[in-house]
Structure formats: structure tokens, C-alpha cells
Amino acid sequence: MQIDAGRFRVRLAESDQDVRAAQRLRYRVFVEEMGAKAGPEAVAERRESDRFDPYFEHLLLIDRECEDPDKEGGVVGVYRLMRGDRAREGIGFYGAGEYDLARLSEHPREVLELGRSCVDADYRGGAGMHLLWAGLGGYVTENDIGLLFGVASFHGTDPSAFSQALSYLHHFHLAPEELRVRAVPENYTDMAILSKDEVDKAAAMRQLPALIKGYIRIGGHVGDGAFIDRDFNTIDVCLLMDTALMKQSVRKFYSRKRGGSVDRILG
């Protein structure tokens, strides 16, 4: 699976070198920018990695004209992908450490976990981000994925700072009962900080990170409860999307043949 558009290329990692380039980007974003904790080895190599990396596929956004040595291999965007069949054969889902995913095991179609998604600060909001989404769409189509899920984060660990956004997600975008995964009991944080009547949608939208806002706009839902990840300095919510419930325009986008122009789908 590969998409070429001008200076950009989207493809799956093909080597250990590709994965290391993705880990270098993750270090810049999650550790240096967002304040995640990192061990001595990670700091020395400036790479963010974990024991799940060898089991995931890594979808890369590459700027083929990039000459910045810090952007190793021109990798400026990444998604980490784990299909359900691979999870069952290997290490399991990363998100199982934060959410009880038992309900997803009963889903009749293939499930795909998304994680460690990030884009270099110089490339956010531009054509590259949409190409990365197009690549994800191609993967979804080629592998007949029925359900997408994964944790997405607010920067910080104080839920009250995001009371409008978290309450909005709980009251207006809670997943259907059959898909409503729940944060593990020992770390469960109630998202309904405000009552439904107290939610100010405009204020909530201002607090929502772009990635979460994007998924909500195209029909995504959230699980029950948030998870505070102090190692990563984040508040995590579990996003879920049944591809059969996507808005018609997005389904057309995801099933489109590769090549040609890439439409803007994140507003």
C-alpha cells in the first residue's frame, strides 16, 4: 500500500530503519513536546519505543524533500496499526492496559487498533495530514476492517481543565452499549464532570484536540471513562468507530481508488 502525492509518500514501514525513524518522531512529539517520561536509553537515542512495537505495523508519512537530519528518513507522520488477528496471535492490544476490551472480541468483523499517532509540528493541518488519513483509509479498505479503535489524548493530567470537552464526549458521543468499552477500574476517571445541561458545545470544541475532533466529526464514539496516563502526561479516551456507520462522504473517501487528488476531510 503506497500513496505518492508531490513531495509526500505514505506507506507501511518496510525495515527496522523505518521503525526507528518513526520512533524518533514519536520521541520529539511525545517526550520533548508533550512531556512524557523517558528512560535513560530512550533519552540517549532520542527514540520513544515500547515492547509492542515489533508486533504493530507502522504507517508512515514521508516528506521526500525533507533535508532536516532530525526528521530521520523524512518521516513526519506515523500511525501504529494492530489488526485483531495479529493481536490474538501475538502480544494483544496495547489499549487493554487502559480499557476492558472484552466487548471488542465479540465484534463480527475485523478490528483495527490505532495508536501512537503523531505528526511533526511543521506539518500539522496541511496536505500531509490528510494524506496520512488517506493511507489509513486505504489500509481499512484493503483489510476489510469493520471497527477502528484506539486511545487518543488530552495534554495534561487534570480532568477539570477539560471539563467541557470530557463532559461533551460523555453526554453526546458515548459509544453504543455493545461497543462501550470501559476504563479499567483502578484508573477509571468519570468524564461526566458537568451535567448535560451545563455543557457549552463551543467551549467543548475549543478544548478538544484536533485528532479527537476529527474522529467525532466523522461518526466516532468514546468509551466509558477516561484513563490518566501520568507517564505520558495525558488524559486518554478510547475512540471507537464502526466503519459501517461512517458518514456517506467518508465511506466514499475511504473506498476511493488511490491516485488523484486528496480531499480535505477534517474540516
Side-chain angles (χ1 to χ4, degrees):
M1 193 278 294
Q2 180 170 299
I3 299 174
D4 289 313
R7 67 191 292 174
F8 293 109
R9 170 172 290 170
V10 176
R11 63 170 174 80
L12 292 171
E14 300 170 346
S15 65
D16 290 343
Q17 183 177 0
D18 282 344
V19 175
R20 288 173 63 83
Q23 293 168 342
R24 173 65 65 85
L25 170 63
R26 284 158 40 183
Y27 185 90
R28 293 203 312 274
V29 173
F30 297 130
V31 178
E32 295 182 341
E33 185 178 338
M34 297 181 64
K37 295 179 182 178
E41 183 177 349
V43 172
E45 294 190 358
R46 296 187 64 232
R47 300 183 195 278
E48 191 278 312
S49 64
D50 65 18
R51 63 191 180 93
F52 287 86
D53 274 332
Y55 298 89
F56 273 82
E57 294 180 276
H58 303 261
L59 185 66
L60 310 177
L61 170 66
I62 300 169
D63 180 356
R64 291 180 288 177
E65 298 180 9
C66 178
E67 297 180 353
D68 184 343
D70 202 37
K71 296 177 175 59
E72 189 173 324
V75 173
V76 295
V78 64
Y79 258 109
R80 201 166 73 163
L81 312 176
M82 173 81 83
R83 297 195 310 270
D85 57 353
R86 293 173 62 98
R88 287 188 292 273
E89 293 171 359
I91 198 170
F93 288 121
Y94 172 85
E98 299 188 10
Y99 285 82
D100 180 352
L101 303 179
R103 294 188 180 191
L104 303 189
S105 66
E106 302 171 1
H107 198 274
R109 295 181 61 195
E110 182 62 281
V111 173
L112 180 69
E113 181 178 32
L114 311 177
R116 289 298 199 275
S117 59
C118 61
V119 174
D120 183 272
D122 295 336
Y123 294 82
R124 293 171 195 163
M129 180 66 205
H130 303 299
L131 278 170
L132 190 58
W133 272 64
L136 175 60
Y139 186 98
V140 164
T141 299
E142 290 180 8
N143 291 278
D144 193 25
I145 302 299
L147 179 71
L148 307 176
F149 81 97
V151 296
S153 305
F154 292 81
H155 185 193
T157 57
D158 178 7
S160 67
F162 305 101
S163 59
Q164 286 287 347
L166 292 171
S167 301
Y168 169 74
L169 292 174
H170 175 85
H171 291 301
F172 295 96
H173 294 284
L174 197 61
E177 182 68 29
E178 65 272 16
L179 296 178
R180 194 177 301 166
V181 301
R182 182 180 172 87
V184 295
E186 59 269 27
N187 288 98
Y188 179 91
T189 299
D190 191 357
M191 295 168 62
I193 300 169
L194 306 174
S195 69
K196 189 173 183 178
D197 291 340
E198 292 176 308
V199 172
D200 180 334
K201 183 177 180 180
M205 296 303 285
R206 287 194 295 271
Q207 290 182 356
L208 282 176
L211 181 66
I212 298 177
K213 191 182 302 183
Y215 278 111
I216 294 302
R217 284 177 175 172
I218 60 174
H221 300 281
V222 297
D224 180 10
F227 179 96
I228 298 178
D229 188 336
R230 300 195 184 279
D231 287 339
F232 262 77
N233 191 34
T234 59
I235 300 169
D236 296 343
V237 297
C238 188
L239 289 167
L240 307 103
M241 187 186 315
D242 188 330
T243 58
L245 300 179
M246 285 180 175
K247 296 178 182 179
Q248 185 64 31
S249 61
V250 180
R251 290 203 301 271
K252 288 180 179 178
F253 175 87
Y254 269 22
S255 61
R256 184 175 304 150
K257 298 290 186 180
R258 293 196 297 274
S261 63
V262 175
D263 295 338
R264 181 180 178 89
I265 65 169
L266 292 183

